[in-house]
Amino acid sequence: MSEFSAFVASPWGAVLAIAAMTLVTFLCRIGGVVLMSHVRITPRIERGLRALPGSIILATILPIALDNGFPALIALGAAVTVMALTRIDLLGLAAGLGTLSVIRAFL
């Protein structure tokens, strides 16, 4: 076993890996801040930044809903509708989960 392999297999190898991941995560986060400090925020860019969290959530949840079929899509529609009408996230979550529970109870 080489010296490098022995170091990586030791507890210090795990510490080094965690430290490296911490550094990369920090650089990714600070990179976004530095990049956006050079961008002039116009109304169009501001609208895009405001829409970004919803887009990320949709990109995460929609494939899961499509894999789980029609009941999941109905529940997702109920959650989105309630959230659009009330602007209360927890109420939308409750509506989506409640709808899915009722549909699955009868199927």
Side-chain angles (χ1 to χ4, degrees):
M1 185 183 285
S2 70
E3 195 173 315
F4 179 73
S5 297
F7 177 77
V8 170
S10 73
W12 287 108
V15 170
L16 180 65
I18 291 170
M21 289 186 286
T22 302
L23 178 66
V24 169
T25 300
F26 174 75
L27 290 175
C28 286
R29 288 177 176 258
I30 201 69
V33 172
V34 170
L35 180 68
M36 287 305 292
S37 69
H38 298 298
V39 174
R40 193 172 59 106
I41 304 296
T42 63
R44 184 176 183 179
I45 291 176
E46 186 175 351
R47 283 193 311 270
L49 290 173
R50 288 186 190 274
L52 194 58
S55 301
I56 292 171
I57 290 172
L58 187 64
T60 304
I61 291 177
L62 192 59
I64 297 168
L66 290 174
D67 285 343
N68 288 312
F70 191 68
L73 291 174
I74 296 295
L76 183 60
V80 168
T81 301
V82 170
M83 284 176 54
L85 293 175
T86 65
R87 301 279 186 206
I88 301 173
D89 296 343
L90 289 177
L91 198 57
L93 178 68
L97 289 175
T99 302
L100 186 61
S101 298
V102 168
I103 290 172
R104 288 193 175 167
F106 288 111
L107 290 181

